[in-house]
């Protein structure tokens, strides 16, 4: 899987009505964590159809499995904001010692030194692309080239 894509087109309640989607996200997240060839996952659809909720249910389930196994893999989730803020918060979440208000390249350098598998989920990626398209494309490109980082865009 070079880049997976999951589409949502009909808004429904979660739980039993979205079990297929939750299982598909779970399967693809596991693949991102275990397969070095897997690079990213896109989850797209209209507003309010359950993309984020399905992702978070699958994420919680996988994190419980990771915790039980003692694995060091991490899945971090952030809603779209300034790139500097996203990367700073990712570093904090991972316990990487960084200072706030640094340049994007400094945060990426810090992430290069983080060796454990990392799935970085960015919710609302369309907003980042809309307002800072060139910067967003550059940051996403660099992040996608880090060996340990996999991207999920919602």
């Amino acid at each position: 899987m070079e880049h997976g894509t999951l589409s949502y087109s009909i808004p429904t309640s979660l739980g039993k009505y979205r079990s297929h989607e939750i299982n598909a996200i779970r399967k693809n997240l596991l693949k991102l964590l275990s397969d070095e060839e897997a690079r990213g996952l896109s989850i797209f659809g209209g507003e309010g159809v359950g993309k984020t909720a399905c992702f978070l249910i699958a994420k919680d389930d996988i994190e419980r499995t990771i915790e039980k196994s003692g694995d060091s893999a991490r899945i971090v989730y952030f809603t779209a904001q300034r790139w500097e803020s996203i990367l700073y918060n990712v570093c904090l979440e991972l316990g990487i010692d960084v200072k706030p208000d640094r340049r994007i390249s400094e945060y990426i350098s810090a992430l290069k030194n983080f060796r454990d598998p990392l799935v970085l989920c960015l919710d609302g990626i369309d907003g980042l692309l809309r307002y800072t398209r060139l910067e967003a494309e550059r940051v996403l490109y660099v992040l996608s080239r880090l060996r340990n980082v996999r991207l999920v865009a919602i």
Side-chain angles (χ1 to χ4, degrees):
M1 175 177 97
E2 178 63 23
H3 189 86
T5 303
L6 300 174
S7 174
Y8 293 71
S9 57
I10 302 170
T12 65
S13 300
L14 283 172
K16 65 181 181 180
Y17 301 108
R18 285 292 193 195
S19 61
H20 174 74
E21 289 85 352
I22 292 167
N23 287 330
I25 292 171
R26 185 181 299 118
K27 179 180 138 199
N28 282 283
L29 284 175
L30 287 169
K31 187 160 181 104
L32 287 176
L33 288 168
S34 63
D35 183 353
E36 287 199 19
E37 298 301 314
R39 301 305 308 162
L41 172 65
S42 297
I43 304 171
F44 67 93
E47 290 183 29
V49 296
K51 301 176 301 289
T52 300
C54 287
F55 171 81
L56 292 173
I57 290 168
K59 173 188 172 290
D60 289 346
D61 182 48
I62 290 173
E63 285 178 332
R64 283 191 296 277
T65 303
I66 289 171
E67 190 175 309
K68 287 178 187 173
S69 72
D71 196 343
S72 59
R74 298 288 301 273
I75 303 172
V76 294
Y77 167 84
F78 290 98
T79 55
Q81 48 194 301
R82 286 185 19 247
W83 279 109
E84 294 87 348
S85 181
I86 291 170
L87 296 173
Y88 171 70
N89 286 312
V90 168
C91 289
L92 285 182
E93 175 81 18
L94 299 174
I96 300 171
D97 186 28
V98 292
K99 304 219 181 322
D101 300 320
R102 300 292 182 187
R103 293 186 356 217
I104 290 171
S105 60
E106 293 178 50
Y107 296 124
I108 289 176
S109 292
L111 287 172
K112 282 182 184 177
N113 296 323
F114 186 77
R115 295 290 173 217
D116 294 334
L118 169 66
V119 174
L120 172 58
C121 176
L122 300 172
D123 196 352
I125 193 77
D126 54 332
L128 282 171
L129 291 171
R130 190 176 314 121
Y131 297 111
T132 60
R133 182 158 199 98
L134 289 176
E135 180 179 68
E137 288 175 354
R138 182 174 59 89
V139 173
L140 288 170
Y141 175 79
V142 171
L143 286 173
S144 72
R145 297 300 174 252
L146 299 178
R147 283 186 59 80
N148 61 320
V149 176
R150 305 298 183 261
L151 297 172
V152 175
I154 299 178

